[in-house]
Amino acid sequence: MKKEKMVLFIGLAFLLLVSLGKLANIYGELLWFDTLKFSSVFWTIINAKVILGLIFGLIFFCIIGINIYLARKMGPAKSQWELALRGQGQKTHQIIPIKPEYVNKILLVVCLVLSLLMGIWPAMMKWDDFLRFFYQTPFTLVDPIFQKNIGFYVFSYPVYVFIQKWLFYALLLITFLVGFIYVKDKAMKLKIGDLMFTRRAKSHLSILVGFILLLIAWERRLKMLALLYSPRGVAFGASYTDMRAQVVAYWIIIIIAAVCAFIFWINISSKGWKWPLIGIATLFALSVLVSGFFPWALQKFVVEPNELTKERPYIQNNIHYTRLGYNLDQIEEKDFQVSKNLNFEKIQKNSLTIKNVKLWDKNPLRQTYSELQEMRLYYHFVSVDEDRYTLDGEKTQIMLSARELDQSNLPPQAQTWENKHFKYTHGYGLCMSPVNHVTEKGLPNLIIKDIPPVSSQGSFIINRPEIYYGELGNEFVIVNTATQEFDYPKGDKNVYTNYEGKGGVPIGSFLNRVIFSLKYSDAKIFLTNYITPESRIMLHRQIKDRVKSVAPFLTYDRDPYVVLNDDGHIYWIQDAYTTTDKFPYSERIAFSLDPGAVQTPLKLFAGQRLGPKKINYIRNSVKVVINAYNGKMTYYVIDEADPIIKTYQKIFPKFFKSFNEMPQSIRDHVRYPRDPFEIQANMYRTYHMRDAQVFYNKEDLWDLPMQKSLSTQSEYPMKGYYIIMRLPDREEEEFLLMVPFTPNNKSNMIAWMSAQCDGPDYGRLLVYKFPKEKLIYGPRQVHARINQQTDISSELTLWSQQGSEVIRGELLVIPIEESILYIEPVYLMATDESSLPELKRVIVAYGDKIEMQHTLADSLNVIFGKGLAEASSILVESDRGQIPLKGRSINELAQRANQYFESALESLRTGDWAQYGQYQGLLQQAIQELMRESEEQ
């Protein structure tokens, strides 16, 4: 007996500790939400979960309790159960009787456990669906088949499907449990080939089976509505076969199931199971026949021989609603009459575009940032972002990256608990460089660099370079403690600091130390002497984890980007989307969430799955702004017409802010995100075809151009890229996101798509279509033509054979006026681990001309010829310190050419092949200019 009590005590103690840990986790999250002033969100979600759990749990408890009570009452009086046990090594069972009063207690425990589980199911998985159901906002259109508002499918339909499924499994579970009780109470006997019931047991089970059959009928009715998502036809959504055969089949099954339920109920007063079994057999046979064979036969013998004729209206539905689901109906199509008359005057007119050509790709640039500016092993540039800033009064495209602190890169002996949570708490500053500036050594021209960060142009102020919240930082840290934090390295010494902000949760009180010790299962939080009354604990420091922890009902972009604000603070902007897979007739597409993102640790908020998920509706409805120093978050609604975000605004009335409330200095850096743009571009490949016959035959199917990876050289579809350029119908340049299109299985270019990022035109989508009778080179064709240029390919081959790696950047397609310019940067990198990618050449292609020179200006000079030298100030001049060749006398040019020739020979003798290639290029440039000057004279 003592042993049993000890086991019981240990079990209860374990449950108590687990419960305390869960409660501490919830309370710790509440403190965090309260610090952010988002406690209303916390309580709305918690209340929804608790109320749903209670309602469904109580409903199940009442249903199962009544049925068990009736089953026990209908059974023999005071029947006791027998438990058969067989010990180890025993061949016979030992029969242990269970008294009736204990049986009832066991059944009560079973009821409570099952009720808890049936309540947790909707509370954990469907709280979002139920909130949207009760606060739903109607759409402005209806589906074309059943004439129901789209809001019904987005908000109501998922709830009805869940309720049907919940009731079905609940009644199925109860039926089996009731049957088990009748067997144990000997009110029902099971024999091989025979089934014997008492009249009460038969009546009870017949009623339950009847209700299960009605739920099957309801499930078929819901499946009828789900035909709007049918993949059967040539286009997504209800097809001819679905509407002519599958709907009929579902109605037949609904009627038969209802009749079978009625048969089971009237069979209560009859003997045997003849008619119920006949009904079940009929239901099963007809389900196979009318739901399987009938649609198959209609599809095979009626639809397929006349597919386009039969499917035309359904194809048209798919086209129309897919365009609505992905906002493709808002795309403006324009003609782009390509000409080959690009000249100096037009280049000059579009000087801002030329000045902002992106010569630095993200991967080589991040590697360069890492080698030059990480300073210490524990600093890390996670990603490089693109934005636009005003430099010297002009809009300039910028690459920048935050210098974050990666605790995993601390030396092993330094990875102590104190260092991780008290010392190494934050990153420091950022790197920034224009997309086209190059130093003398072929490296990016850093206009913000070093620690502390220094702005070379003096136009940027960084008052708060500390980065406590970023793309890394998933460990909690404690600030304002008795020990100072490491701030940044300075020579052989370190500079230390104390946190001056209000970020994090106060942890100085006894209660809060206990709470967070239990939350993180870390007694050191409670025992340490470093915590003072002013100390604060910072949690959810990773941006993706942070935004998902607050609002798990939104879908988030894979790439938050950093912004240096006018106030000298560093911010992050995270794009958020409203999505659904229940938009009728809209084609579904896999949308990949970041597999590396961290789900919220608050288990009660679980529910958002990571990895790819299917969607057929997406809106970029929300922009989240996060302060990198104090972690303050603001959710701004940018698409106020979206019914889904309107619904969430009703659910959380104090949570969202209008986009108009966003500070202008932050609004200037809002950009159209790549994720929805790439989805829209991918869908528009097919859904620019609006005619059903053209769509059916895929006569005008487009593709995204293929390009090679910088690292693996494998091909992948071209991604959208940011660019500053002037649209054909505009007077000024603006920041755009664009991507070209090619015809299916062809390499020539047929159109390009852009999304505007600036001002009131934010989100405006444009597609410029080329004349089909003209051949416009696509990126793959231009790339192949570059490879066929013997002078270019030989020089690149020479470099790659002498211990250097040639990296060819992404080929950019740049529309200028009514012409297309192609630009590709070329980087050279030694094969050793500490090498830096250096920008060595810029390839420019226009029409039938291709040139590779040291700078973009040089390549443009060669292609467009005379007249460009006088306006070289408008072009992208490198900072290499080279003296311009144009404007010199013939004698000076000859001397310069001879100097390059001698230098090339010296490099050849010393075996410096990279330097040899550089001088060969300079020599070629000097000879070409010498020839031009000779012709002019």
Side-chain angles (χ1 to χ4, degrees):
M1 192 67 179
K2 290 182 179 180
K3 184 178 180 180
E4 293 175 353
K5 288 183 178 180
M6 181 61 67
V7 171
L8 179 62
F9 175 78
I10 293 174
L12 291 175
F14 176 76
L15 289 175
L16 179 62
L17 287 174
V18 172
S19 300
L20 285 175
K22 296 292 184 183
L23 290 174
N25 186 44
I26 295 171
Y27 185 68
E29 294 295 314
L30 172 59
L31 293 175
W32 180 65
F33 271 79
D34 190 56
T35 302
L36 294 170
K37 299 182 180 178
F38 291 155
S39 56
S40 61
V41 177
F42 179 93
W43 286 116
T44 298
I45 297 177
I46 287 292
N47 290 338
K49 289 173 178 281
V50 171
I51 291 171
L52 272 179
L54 287 175
I55 290 175
F56 279 90
L58 287 174
I59 290 173
F60 184 82
F61 183 78
C62 291
I63 296 174
I64 194 173
I66 291 172
N67 279 276
I68 289 178
Y69 171 78
L70 293 175
R72 291 287 291 164
K73 185 178 180 181
M74 293 177 182
K78 297 183 179 180
S79 60
Q80 69 176 18
W81 291 5
E82 295 177 347
L83 181 64
L85 297 176
R86 185 170 65 183
Q88 187 175 2
Q90 296 179 352
K91 295 183 178 181
T92 59
H93 290 85
Q94 180 181 2
I95 306 300
I96 300 177
I98 303 176
K99 296 181 180 180
E101 55 270 24
Y102 289 119
V103 170
N104 292 334
K105 291 179 180 180
I106 292 172
L107 290 175
L108 177 61
V109 172
V110 170
C111 285
L112 290 173
V113 172
L114 292 178
S115 298
L116 179 64
L117 295 176
M118 294 299 286
I120 288 176
W121 179 13
M124 294 294 292
M125 303 303 296
K126 297 298 177 180
W127 61 269
D128 185 21
D129 288 342
F130 276 90
L131 282 176
R132 299 200 304 176
F133 173 78
F134 287 113
Y135 291 92
Q136 61 183 274
T137 301
F139 281 66
T140 57
L141 69 160
V142 298
D143 79 271
I145 302 299
F146 303 107
Q147 298 299 307
K148 292 181 179 293
N149 188 277
I150 300 298
F152 168 82
Y153 299 97
V154 174
F155 302 118
S156 300
Y157 180 76
V159 171
Y160 294 150
V161 170
F162 173 77
I163 291 175
Q164 185 278 329
K165 186 182 295 185
W166 186 89
L167 288 173
F168 178 80
Y169 286 120
L171 286 182
L172 200 64
L173 187 62
I174 290 169
T175 301
F176 280 114
L177 185 58
V178 167
F180 176 78
I181 291 172
Y182 279 129
V183 169
K184 300 301 290 184
D185 283 345
K186 299 181 175 57
M188 177 175 129
K189 296 182 180 180
L190 294 172
K191 296 181 180 179
I192 298 177
D194 194 12
L195 189 61
M196 298 177 60
F197 295 87
T198 64
R199 184 170 181 177
R200 288 184 175 182
K202 178 184 176 184
S203 300
H204 193 175
L205 292 173
S206 295
I207 292 172
L208 290 174
V209 173
F211 280 114
I212 291 174
L213 289 168
L214 286 183
L215 288 173
I216 291 175
W218 187 22
E219 184 251 357
R220 295 297 165 169
R221 173 56 182 162
L222 293 173
K223 278 195 171 183
M224 191 184 302
L225 299 175
L227 290 175
L228 295 176
Y229 317 111
S230 170
R232 172 183 274 134
V234 294
F236 185 82
S239 64
Y240 181 91
T241 300
D242 290 322
M243 299 313 300
R244 297 295 189 276
Q246 198 66 59
V247 168
V248 174
Y250 284 153
W251 276 121
I252 293 173
I253 294 172
I254 288 170
I255 293 171
I256 297 299
V259 170
C260 286
F262 182 71
I263 291 173
F264 267 89
W265 289 341
I266 64 174
N267 192 60
I268 292 173
S269 58
S270 304
K271 293 183 179 180
W273 295 92
K274 176 181 177 181
W275 291 109
L277 293 177
I278 290 175
I280 293 293
T282 303
L283 177 64
F284 177 77
L286 285 177
S287 296
V288 174
L289 181 64
V290 302
S291 190
F293 177 75
F294 179 36
W296 173 83
L298 186 68
Q299 180 73 22
K300 189 73 174 176
F301 300 110
V302 177
V303 176
E304 290 185 6
N306 311 278
E307 196 165 46
L308 178 58
T309 303
K310 299 295 184 183
E311 298 285 12
R312 183 185 294 272
Y314 306 104
I315 293 174
Q316 208 65 55
N317 288 337
N318 170 255
I319 294 172
H320 178 66
Y321 284 87
T322 298
R323 289 174 62 86
L324 291 173
Y326 295 98
N327 234 14
L328 305 183
D329 61 311
Q330 299 299 313
I331 294 177
E332 301 175 40
E333 290 189 356
K334 296 178 180 289
D335 292 330
F336 193 91
Q337 299 298 330
V338 182
S339 63
K340 296 183 179 180
N341 58 358
L342 188 61
N343 52 31
F344 165 68
E345 287 75 17
K346 292 184 178 181
I347 289 286
Q348 187 177 31
K349 186 178 178 181
N350 294 271
S351 61
L352 195 60
T353 299
I354 299 299
K355 289 181 180 180
N356 286 282
V357 171
K358 188 176 72 172
L359 299 181
W360 284 103
D361 287 340
K362 286 188 174 183
N363 289 337
L365 186 61
R366 189 177 72 85
Q367 188 171 351
T368 302
Y369 280 178
S370 298
E371 290 293 335
L372 296 178
Q373 286 290 306
E374 283 187 351
M375 308 297 188
R376 296 289 188 271
L377 290 174
Y378 41 76
Y379 284 128
H380 184 54
F381 293 103
V382 179
S383 63
V384 177
D385 299 315
E386 298 171 67
D387 205 344
R388 67 286 198 198
Y389 290 79
T390 301
L391 296 181
D392 298 326
E394 286 188 333
K395 182 179 291 186
T396 304
Q397 189 167 341
I398 293 294
M399 312 285 275
L400 69 165
S401 183
R403 185 185 291 105
E404 300 191 52
L405 191 144
D406 188 354
Q407 293 179 344
S408 64
N409 286 337
L410 288 170
Q413 64 273 17
Q415 294 201 19
T416 63
W417 187 85
E418 177 185 342
N419 280 344
K420 285 186 174 182
H421 300 294
F422 292 90
K423 286 289 184 183
Y424 294 92
T425 58
H426 59 273
Y428 205 87
L430 51 79
C431 279
M432 179 185 289
S433 59
V435 294
N436 61 338
H437 286 195
V438 187
T439 68
E440 184 179 8
K441 296 183 179 179
L443 300 175
N445 178 28
L446 300 177
I447 57 176
I448 296 182
K449 60 182 178 180
D450 298 340
I451 300 178
V454 177
S455 174
S456 61
Q457 296 191 354
S459 56
F460 295 99
I461 301 173
I462 306 181
N463 295 326
R464 279 296 175 198
E466 301 92 343
I467 300 173
Y468 286 88
Y469 302 88
E471 295 185 81
L472 293 176
N474 47 17
E475 285 271 357
F476 73 86
V477 297
I478 303 176
V479 297
N480 284 346
T481 63
T483 182
Q484 287 189 308
E485 307 166 49
F486 164 76
D487 200 23
Y488 61 87
K490 187 175 183 180
D492 296 333
K493 298 180 180 180
N494 292 330
V495 176
Y496 294 89
T497 187
N498 289 311
Y499 183 70
E500 298 176 357
K502 296 295 183 182
V505 180
I507 196 176
S509 68
F510 175 83
L511 175 62
N512 285 6
R513 291 178 70 169
V514 172
I515 291 297
F516 284 101
S517 293
L518 291 171
K519 174 180 172 60
Y520 289 106
S521 302
D522 191 342
K524 294 177 183 177
I525 297 175
F526 179 74
L527 298 174
T528 182
N529 294 323
Y530 289 127
I531 295 178
T532 69
E534 291 76 31
S535 296
R536 307 178 76 88
I537 182 170
M538 294 181 174
L539 52 154
H540 299 307
R541 297 196 301 128
Q542 187 188 49
I543 297 300
K544 295 172 187 175
D545 170 42
R546 192 169 184 80
V547 294
K548 287 180 180 179
S549 297
V550 171
F553 44 84
L554 297 174
T555 302
Y556 294 95
D557 194 270
R558 290 170 290 183
D559 182 29
Y561 60 98
V562 67
V563 169
L564 178 58
N565 195 25
D566 293 347
D567 62 3
H569 284 233
I570 297 173
Y571 291 86
W572 296 92
I573 297 180
Q574 171 74 65
D575 284 284
Y577 313 113
T578 50
T579 62
T580 182
D581 63 346
K582 294 296 186 291
F583 199 84
Y585 264 112
S586 179
E587 184 76 39
R588 285 174 177 163
I589 191 171
F591 181 55
S592 296
L593 300 174
D594 188 355
V598 181
Q599 273 196 357
T600 167
L602 180 54
K603 301 303 182 183
L604 287 177
F605 283 13
Q608 179 166 340
R609 296 186 299 272
L610 296 178
K613 71 172 184 177
K614 295 284 188 178
I615 63 169
N616 61 6
Y617 174 96
I618 183 170
R619 294 292 186 271
N620 178 210
S621 298
V622 178
K623 303 282 187 181
V624 190
V625 178
I626 306 101
N627 188 304
Y629 185 71
N630 57 36
K632 180 183 177 182
M633 291 185 288
T634 310
Y635 286 70
Y636 295 101
V637 174
I638 192 170
D639 186 356
E640 296 184 352
D642 173 34
I644 298 180
I645 201 61
K646 284 183 178 181
T647 298
Y648 282 125
Q649 286 178 295
K650 293 179 184 177
I651 297 171
F652 308 103
K654 299 179 180 180
F655 180 55
F656 296 101
K657 290 188 177 182
S658 170
F659 184 66
N660 294 329
E661 299 180 56
M662 180 185 288
Q664 186 62 46
S665 58
I666 295 292
R667 198 185 307 179
D668 289 341
H669 298 285
V670 166
R671 69 187 191 188
Y672 197 83
R674 274 198 179 97
D675 278 354
F677 181 77
E678 290 176 1
I679 289 173
Q680 288 171 315
N682 188 59
M683 298 305 296
Y684 200 72
R685 296 183 310 110
T686 304
Y687 287 93
H688 71 277
M689 297 180 285
R690 304 185 195 183
D691 181 77
Q693 182 170 345
V694 175
F695 182 93
Y696 174 79
N697 292 319
K698 299 297 186 286
E699 297 174 15
D700 193 22
L701 185 64
W702 293 354
D703 268 333
L704 294 172
M706 302 299 291
Q707 64 181 12
K708 287 188 176 181
S709 167
L710 298 184
S711 55
T712 64
Q713 293 300 304
S714 60
E715 287 194 326
Y716 63 92
M718 195 170 186
K719 298 181 181 297
Y721 51 91
Y722 292 101
I723 184 173
I724 290 179
M725 61 169 284
R726 186 171 60 86
L727 291 171
D729 59 341
R730 291 303 178 100
E731 295 297 326
E732 296 182 356
E733 287 83 353
E734 53 190 305
F735 193 56
L736 303 171
L737 178 60
M738 68 165 288
V739 71
F741 290 108
T742 63
N744 185 39
N745 293 326
K746 293 185 178 180
S747 298
N748 61 290
M749 200 157 56
I750 195 169
W752 57 278
M753 179 178 178
S754 70
Q756 293 176 255
C757 301
D758 293 339
D761 289 325
Y762 171 86
R764 182 186 178 212
L765 298 172
L766 297 162
V767 169
Y768 290 89
K769 301 171 73 173
F770 300 139
K772 292 187 177 181
E773 65 274 11
K774 289 187 178 181
L775 174 64
I776 312 300
Y777 291 126
R780 178 184 278 182
Q781 290 174 320
V782 174
H783 198 275
R785 291 180 60 228
I786 293 172
N787 292 337
Q788 292 168 3
Q789 293 286 110
T790 54
D791 54 337
I792 295 177
S793 59
S794 60
E795 188 168 357
L796 298 181
T797 302
L798 183 63
W799 284 347
S800 61
Q801 289 176 348
Q802 301 300 322
S804 297
E805 180 183 359
V806 176
I807 302 174
R808 293 176 62 175
E810 295 181 358
L811 181 67
L812 300 178
V813 178
I814 303 177
I816 297 181
E817 297 290 329
E818 294 181 347
S819 301
I820 300 294
L821 202 62
Y822 307 88
I823 297 176
E824 180 181 271
V826 178
Y827 312 96
L828 188 64
M829 184 175 68
T831 54
D832 58 273
E833 294 183 359
S834 61
S835 62
L836 295 173
E838 298 177 4
L839 180 62
K840 291 299 183 184
R841 297 288 188 272
V842 179
I843 301 174
V844 175
Y846 172 69
D848 296 326
K849 300 177 181 179
I850 297 177
E851 287 294 336
M852 183 177 76
Q853 299 295 329
H854 288 79
T855 67
L856 175 59
D858 292 340
S859 295
L860 291 172
N861 283 341
V862 174
I863 285 182
F864 293 103
K866 183 179 177 180
L868 205 53
E870 291 78 1
S872 62
S873 60
I874 71 162
L875 298 178
V876 183
E877 294 294 345
S878 69
D879 295 325
R880 296 178 189 276
Q882 295 174 204
I883 301 174
L885 292 174
K886 286 184 176 288
R888 296 186 178 191
S889 67
I890 292 179
N891 185 45
E892 289 175 325
L893 290 171
Q895 290 178 0
R896 177 61 64 179
N898 183 65
Q899 179 182 344
Y900 289 151
F901 178 71
E902 294 294 337
S903 298
L905 289 178
E906 179 64 26
S907 299
L908 186 62
R909 284 192 294 269
T910 59
D912 191 344
W913 293 98
Q915 195 70 32
Y916 172 76
Q918 292 181 22
Y919 284 121
Q920 282 289 322
L922 291 171
L923 176 61
Q924 180 184 6
Q925 182 182 358
I927 292 173
Q928 289 173 347
E929 187 59 31
L930 181 62
M931 293 174 64
R932 289 194 193 97
E933 291 293 332
S934 299
E935 291 173 359
E936 291 176 6
Q937 295 183 12

